[in-house]
C-alpha cells in the first residue's frame, strides 16, 4: 500500500492538477488496482491514504488537518461574520438597494454599523449578504478593476469615455469569479446584488436599469425585484405584490423600508439600523448614511398569547 | 463500472466506536468505514436517476472523517434520493456543496421535418422560487436548441463552453455545426468533466442535415442517444409516461399517425400543465420553440404560479 501511494508522480506546484483531479485520479486508480479478493480493510485504507495529498509517502504525512490540499491552503467551510438580507428594486429613475447595517457573529450582534452597500464605480452599486470578509474581498477586487480601467483608459476625463464597467459587466465578471472559486471548493460565501444600468452597444450607459444577483456557487440571474437570504421568504412576496414598473422614488423607498421593518420583526439576525442606496441615470451612485427605522411592538399578535386570542393557537 | 464498495461496507452495519469527538484523524477501521459509508450516501450526484444506486461522490473534503459526533449529519444509505442535497434532511449546518438543484423540466419531441423543444421558466432553490422567468432554452445554431435543467450555474458554464466551441468550429470549417455533430460534441464536453460533472440534465433538439427532426437525450456525464422524444429535469417522471402513450403510441389501439407541429405544441402545453400540477419545481410559464429548417418559432405559455 505504501508503494501504491508513493507511485504517484512528484508534481511541481505550478503544473499541479487541482486537488480534485488528483483525488479522483488516485481514487479511480486505487479502486481499479484492487483485486476483487482484497479485503475491505485495504480498500478503506487506500481511500484514507489517498485523501491526504502531500507528496513523500504515507509515512511522512501528518494526520489530515481538516484541509483538502497542501498545508496552508485552507478552504472556506462556513461563514463566520455574516450579513443578512439585501433587497433590490427597480423604479422609474433607476435602481434602489436596501440593507441593514448589522454583521452578526453567529448569534452575537457584533458590528452594528457595517456597510453592506458599496459603490464599485460611478455607475455600479453592489450589496452583499453572507460572509463579510468575503464581501470586503470582492469590493477590493472590483474597485481595483475599476481603478485599472480608469488608469488605462484613453482619456483622463470620465465623461469622454465609458471605460467604467457598467452593472451588467460587473455582474458577469462576478459570476465568473464566484464560479471559479466554487469549482476549487473554496467559495466566497456571499449573495451579491449588483445594481446599475446596462450598456448600449456603443459603450454609452443605457437608459435601461439593471438589477442582478450572483450567489456563492455562481448562480446568476436578473429581475425587477430581488432579495437575498431571509428577504427571499419575507420581503420578496411583499415586494412582488406591490411592485409596479414605474414607481416613484418615494414609493420604492417606502416599500423597501417596510420590508426591512418586517425583516427586523421576524429575522433574528436583522437590525432596524438600515441603509438605502440608489443608482440613477443623472445622479450616479448615492449611498445614504445609516439611520434607524421606527418599529411598533404593540401589535396584538406580538403582545397577546396566541392561545388567548381566539384563533386556532400557535405561538 | 465498479461501484465504490458502499454496499459491502454497509453490510457490516456497525456503529463506530467514536473516539474523541473533536479528533479529525482516522483512529480505527470502523470509523473509517463508517465515514466512507456516510460520505457515499451523502451529497452524491446520480449518474442517471433510473440506475438505482449508481452514484459518484463529488464532495471531497478529506476532513473530519471521524463521525458519530452528532456534529455533522450522518447520512444513512438512501435509495436514489438523488437531487435532494439535504433540503429535507439534516436541517442543521452542513458542508459546502458545489451543487444546488435549481429545478425545472425540459421536453423535446421530434417530428418528420420539425422538432419541438419546451422548458418551464421557473428557477428554484430549496423551497424558494428565485425567479419566474428564466429561460432554460439556448439556441446553439439556427437549427439546434439546447434545453437544460439542473444546476443553473453549471448550465450557464456549459453553455459558455459550447458557444466558444461552436464559434471555433464555424471559424475553422466555415459553416455552422450540424445537429448530430453538436450532439456528439456536447457528449464529449460533458464527459470531459467526468470527475466533477456539470450538473446539467440536457435535451438537444434540432433538425439534421436532411431536414428531419432530431432529439437527443443526455445524462450528466455525457452518455447520449438519439430518441424520438426526451424529457429531463424534475418533472421528467410525469412527462415520460405521458409521451410514451401519446407520442410513441404505446398501449393504444387506434392507428398511429404522424403529428403536425401545431398538434405537438398543444400536447406539450397539456404535458406541462400536468407536470406543473404535481411537481413543485415546475410552473410559472413554458417556453416552447419549434425548430424547422427555415428557422425557429417561439411561444410563451403561462402556467400556474403555485
Amino acid at each position: 500500500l505504501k508503494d501504491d501511494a508513493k507511485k504517484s508522480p512528484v508534481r511541481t506546484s505550478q503544473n499541479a492538477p487541482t486537488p480534485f483531479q488528483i483525488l479522483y485520479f488516485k481514487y479511480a486508480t486505487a479502486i481499479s488496482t484492487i483485486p476483487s479478493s482484497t479485503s475491505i480493510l485495504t480498500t478503506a485504507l487506500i481511500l484514507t491514504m489517498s485523501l491526504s495529498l502531500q507528496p513523500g509517502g504515507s509515512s511522512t504525512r501528518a494526520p489530515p488537518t481538516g484541509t483538502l490540499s497542501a498545508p496552508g491552503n485552507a478552504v472556506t467551510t462556513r461563514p463566520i461574520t455574516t450579513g443578512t438580507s439585501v433587497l433590490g428594486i427597480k423604479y422609474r429613475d433607476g435602481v434602489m438597494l436596501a440593507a441593514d447595517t448589522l454583521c452578526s457573529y453567529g448569534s452575537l450582534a457584533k458590528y452594528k454599523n457595517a456597510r453592506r452597500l458599496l459603490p464599485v464605480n460611478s455607475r455600479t452599486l453592489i450589496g452583499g449578504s453572507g460572509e463579510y470578509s468575503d464581501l470586503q474581498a470582492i469590493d477590493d477586487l472590483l474597485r481595483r478593476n475599476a481603478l485599472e480601467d480608469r488608469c488605462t483608459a484613453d482619456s483622463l476625463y470620465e465623461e469622454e469615455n465609458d471605460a467604467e464597467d457598467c452593472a451588467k459587466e460587473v455582474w458577469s465578471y462576478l459570476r465568473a469569479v464566484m464560479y471559479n472559486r466554487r469549482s476549487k471548493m473554496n467559495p466566497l460565501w456571499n449573495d451579491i446584488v449588483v445594481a446599475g444600468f446596462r450598456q448600449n452597444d456603443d459603450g454609452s450607459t443605457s437608459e435601461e436599469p439593471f438589477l442582478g444577483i450572483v450567489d456563492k456557487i455562481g448562480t446568476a440571474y436578473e429581475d425587477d425585484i430581488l432579495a437575498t437570504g431571509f428577504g427571499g421568504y419575507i420581503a420578496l412576496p411583499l415586494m412582488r405584490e406591490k411592485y409596479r414598473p414605474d414607481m416613484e422614488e418615494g414609493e420604492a423607498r417606502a416599500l423597501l423600508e417596510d420590508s426591512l421593518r418586517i425583516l427586523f420583526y421576524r429575522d433574528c439576525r436583522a437590525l432596524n439600523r438600515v441603509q438605502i442606496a440608489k443608482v440613477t441615470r443623472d445622479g450616479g451612485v448615492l449611498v445614504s448614511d445609516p439611520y434607524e427605522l421606527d418599529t411598533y411592538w404593540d401589535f396584538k399578535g406580538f403582545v397577546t398569547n396566541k392561545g388567548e386570542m381566539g384563533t386556532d393557537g400557535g405561538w | 463500472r465498479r461501484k465504490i464498495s458502499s454496499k459491502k461496507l454497509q453490510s457490516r452495519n456497525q456503529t463506530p466506536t467514536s473516539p474523541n469527538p473533536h479528533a479529525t484523524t482516522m483512529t480505527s477501521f470502523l470509523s473509517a468505514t463508517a465515514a466512507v459509508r456516510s460520505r457515499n450516501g451523502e451529497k452524491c450526484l446520480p449518474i442517471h436517476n433510473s440506475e438505482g444506486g449508481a452514484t459518484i461522490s463529488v464532495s471531497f473534503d478529506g476532513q473530519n472523517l471521524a463521525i458519530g459526533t452528532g456534529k455533522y449529519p450522518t447520512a444513512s444509505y438512501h435509495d436514489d434520493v438523488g437531487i435532494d442535497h439535504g433540503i429535507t434532511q439534516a436541517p442543521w449546518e452542513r458542508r459546502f456543496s458545489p451543487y444546488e438543484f435549481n429545478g425545472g423540466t425540459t421536453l423535446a419531441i421530434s417530428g418528420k421535418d420539425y422538432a419541438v423543444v419546451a422548458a418551464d421558466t421557473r428557477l428554484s432553490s430549496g423551497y424558494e422560487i428565485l425567479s419566474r422567468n428564466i429561460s432554460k432554452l439556448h439556441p446553439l445554431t439556427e437549427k439546434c436548441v439546447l434545453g437544460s435543467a439542473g444546476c443553473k450555474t453549471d448550465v450557464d458554464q456549459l453553455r459558455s463552453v459550447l458557444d466558444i466551441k461552436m464559434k471555433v468550429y464555424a471559424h475553422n470549417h466555415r459553416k455552422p455545426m450540424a445537429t448530430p455533430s453538436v450532439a456528439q460534441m456536447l457528449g464529449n464536453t460533458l464527459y470531459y468533466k467526468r470527475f466533477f460533472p456539470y450538473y446539467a440534465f440536457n435535451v438537444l433538439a434540432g433538425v439534421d442535415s436532411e431536414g428531419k427532426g432530431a432529439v437527443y437525450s443526455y445524462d450528466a456525464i455525457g452518455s447520449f442517444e438519439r430518441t424520438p422524444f426526451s424529457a429531463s429535469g424534475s418533472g421528467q417522471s410525469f412527462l415520460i409516461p405521458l409521451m410514451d402513450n401519446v407520442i410513441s403510441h404505446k398501449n393504444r389501439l387506434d392507428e398511429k399517425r404522424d403529428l403536425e407541429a401545431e398538434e405537438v405544441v398543444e400536447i406539450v402545453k397539456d404535458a406541462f400543465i400536468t407536470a406543473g400540477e404535481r411537481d413543485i419545481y415546475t410552473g410559472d410559464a413554458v417556453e416552447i420553440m419549434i425548430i424547422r429548417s427555415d428557422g425557429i418559432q417561439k411561444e410563451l405559455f403561462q402556467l400556474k404560479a403555485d
Side-chain angles (χ1 to χ4, degrees):
Chain A
L1 294 174
K2 278 191 185 169
D3 287 334
D4 195 59
K6 276 190 185 141
K7 257 184 223 147
S8 61
V10 173
R11 299 173 202 268
T12 65
S13 57
Q14 265 142 342
N15 62 1
T18 67
F20 264 126
Q21 288 164 347
I22 301 173
L23 196 53
Y24 274 104
F25 174 75
K26 280 196 170 189
Y27 200 57
T29 49
I31 298 301
S32 60
T33 53
I34 300 170
S36 50
S37 57
T38 313
S39 74
I40 311 241
L41 171 65
T42 31
T43 314
L45 277 178
I46 288 172
L47 289 173
T48 46
M49 285 167 59
S50 62
L51 285 169
S52 67
L53 300 164
Q54 302 165 40
S58 58
S59 54
T60 63
R61 285 192 191 117
T65 53
T67 67
L68 177 61
S69 23
N73 286 4
V75 295
T76 303
T77 53
R78 60 190 186 95
I80 309 286
T81 310
T82 55
T84 182
S85 335
V86 173
L87 313 175
I89 191 168
K90 285 188 196 168
Y91 67 106
R92 172 176 299 178
D93 304 327
V95 195
M96 202 181 276
L97 294 186
D100 63 18
T101 59
L102 174 64
C103 275
S104 313
Y105 189 72
S107 60
L108 170 66
K110 192 158 182 198
Y111 304 107
K112 294 166 99 166
N113 202 16
R115 302 303 147 92
R116 300 197 289 117
L117 300 178
L118 306 164
V120 165
N121 55 36
S122 66
R123 47 187 177 152
T124 308
L125 184 61
I126 61 166
S129 69
E131 172 62 49
Y132 194 63
S133 58
D134 284 345
L135 174 62
Q136 288 175 316
I138 287 171
D139 184 48
D140 278 350
L141 176 66
L142 294 176
R143 289 189 337 162
R144 190 187 332 139
N145 288 348
L147 180 62
E148 279 181 18
D149 285 346
R150 282 202 299 277
C151 292
T152 55
D154 288 321
S155 162
L156 291 174
Y157 298 99
E158 234 171 69
E159 315 87 60
E160 284 184 9
N161 61 65
D162 290 289
E164 291 197 316
D165 285 340
C166 74
K168 190 157 188 197
E169 287 180 292
V170 171
W171 173 72
S172 299
Y173 172 74
L174 205 44
R175 189 252 155 204
V177 168
M178 304 299 250
Y179 186 81
N180 203 267
R181 288 290 298 252
R182 83 103 215 199
S183 298
K184 297 193 244 183
M185 291 299 281
N186 184 15
L188 292 162
W189 205 288
N190 295 109
D191 289 349
I192 308 280
V193 178
V194 183
F197 287 88
R198 292 180 190 285
Q199 198 175 48
N200 291 325
D201 294 331
D202 64 356
S204 59
T205 309
S206 164
E207 290 290 292
E208 238 191 288
F210 174 86
L211 181 62
I213 184 171
V214 186
D215 83 357
K216 66 180 181 294
I217 56 169
T219 312
Y221 55 96
E222 44 174 320
D223 208 339
D224 296 333
I225 34 175
L226 289 176
T228 69
F230 249 88
Y233 294 101
I234 295 178
L236 204 55
L238 296 170
M239 297 202 295
R240 279 178 182 157
E241 183 83 11
K242 294 269 159 54
Y243 172 75
R244 278 180 0 261
D246 57 349
M247 288 169 80
E248 297 284 348
E249 178 176 328
E251 286 180 87
R253 182 172 169 168
L255 181 54
L256 288 177
E257 282 187 357
D258 278 343
S259 305
L260 287 170
R261 194 185 336 262
I262 293 169
L263 279 169
F264 175 61
Y265 291 144
R266 289 299 182 176
D267 178 6
C268 296
R269 309 282 189 253
L271 194 63
N272 63 340
R273 188 173 168 75
V274 303
Q275 255 188 322
I276 306 267
K278 63 177 183 179
V279 193
T280 47
R281 284 180 198 97
D282 328 308
V285 174
L286 221 64
V287 182
S288 79
D289 285 333
Y291 60 97
E292 317 267 310
L293 289 175
D294 294 326
T295 50
Y296 178 70
W297 293 98
D298 286 335
F299 289 117
K300 198 153 153 236
F302 286 170
V303 172
T304 326
N305 186 335
K306 288 293 191 297
E308 292 162 16
M309 273 176 78
T311 58
D312 289 339
W315 57 91
Chain B
R1 174 135 187 84
R2 198 178 324 180
K3 245 192 325 167
I4 320 308
S5 40
S6 60
K7 287 225 159 80
K8 267 201 228 161
L9 293 174
Q10 213 209 337
S11 65
R12 299 235 162 184
N13 203 23
Q14 298 152 22
T15 44
T17 49
S18 181
N20 173 12
H22 299 296
T24 53
T25 58
M26 197 58 51
T27 54
S28 75
F29 156 62
L30 289 174
S31 58
T33 57
V36 172
R37 180 187 64 204
S38 89
R39 284 197 11 257
N40 273 341
E42 203 181 328
K43 286 198 283 292
C44 289
L45 176 67
I47 294 172
H48 195 285
N49 271 333
S50 66
E51 260 181 62
T55 55
I56 45 175
S57 180
V58 292
S59 77
F60 272 76
D61 31 60
Q63 80 186 73
N64 218 3
L65 296 169
I67 61 145
T69 63
K71 207 168 148 222
Y72 295 103
T74 54
S76 51
Y77 183 85
H78 30 255
D79 277 313
D80 195 23
V81 176
I83 49 190
D84 185 73
H85 283 286
I87 294 164
T88 51
Q89 307 155 32
W92 59 94
E93 199 175 327
R94 56 186 172 84
R95 216 176 300 285
F96 168 67
S97 165
Y99 297 114
E100 183 182 55
F101 182 60
N102 293 127
T105 309
T106 56
L107 173 63
I109 298 167
S110 66
K112 201 156 140 240
D113 58 352
Y114 63 88
V116 174
V117 63
D120 72 325
T121 61
R122 175 175 286 180
L123 185 75
S124 329
S125 167
Y127 290 123
E128 187 184 344
I129 295 176
L130 298 175
S131 176
R132 297 188 192 273
N133 64 343
I134 300 291
S135 172
K136 294 190 179 72
L137 299 178
H138 182 68
L140 290 171
T141 67
E142 298 202 353
K143 297 195 179 171
C144 163
V145 173
L146 174 68
S148 317
C151 174
K152 183 168 193 299
T153 184
D154 270 346
V155 164
D156 284 345
Q157 188 72 7
L158 178 64
R159 286 177 187 175
S160 299
V161 166
L162 290 175
D163 280 343
I164 290 170
K165 288 186 169 184
M166 306 288 295
K167 259 195 193 142
V168 170
Y169 182 96
H171 185 79
N172 287 334
H173 294 81
R174 283 187 273 179
K175 68 177 178 88
M177 232 169 151
T179 304
S181 313
V182 177
Q184 183 65 51
M185 185 187 72
L186 173 55
N188 290 356
T189 308
L190 291 168
Y191 196 81
Y192 195 78
K193 290 255 287 165
R194 170 67 175 81
F195 297 112
F196 187 3
Y198 290 116
Y199 190 152
F201 301 115
N202 303 299
V203 298
L204 188 75
V207 286
D208 62 15
S209 325
E210 298 161 19
K212 292 201 211 127
V215 163
Y216 296 85
S217 6
Y218 291 80
D219 72 357
I221 49 170
S223 93
F224 73 99
E225 188 186 27
R226 185 167 177 173
T227 48
F229 71 88
S230 169
S232 72
S234 57
Q236 72 180 36
S237 326
F238 304 109
L239 296 178
I240 290 177
L242 181 59
M243 295 299 112
D244 277 340
N245 180 275
V246 173
I247 303 290
S248 307
H249 221 266
K250 298 264 171 72
N251 301 312
R252 289 176 80 123
L253 299 174
D254 55 337
E255 189 77 30
K256 181 172 181 176
R257 57 179 185 84
D258 279 338
L259 297 167
E260 293 295 325
E262 288 71 27
E263 289 180 283
V264 171
V265 168
E266 291 307 305
I267 290 170
V268 163
K269 289 177 185 173
D270 279 337
F272 271 87
I273 292 172
T274 310
E277 190 65 38
R278 288 290 185 170
D279 178 26
I280 61 171
Y281 297 110
T282 304
D284 293 324
V286 199
E287 203 184 349
I288 306 175
M289 290 190 184
I290 309 174
I291 308 155
R292 293 197 176 87
S293 325
D294 54 5
I296 301 178
Q297 266 176 283
K298 292 189 206 176
E299 189 182 336
L300 191 71
F301 176 68
Q302 297 296 324
L303 294 174
K304 289 204 292 183
D306 70 348

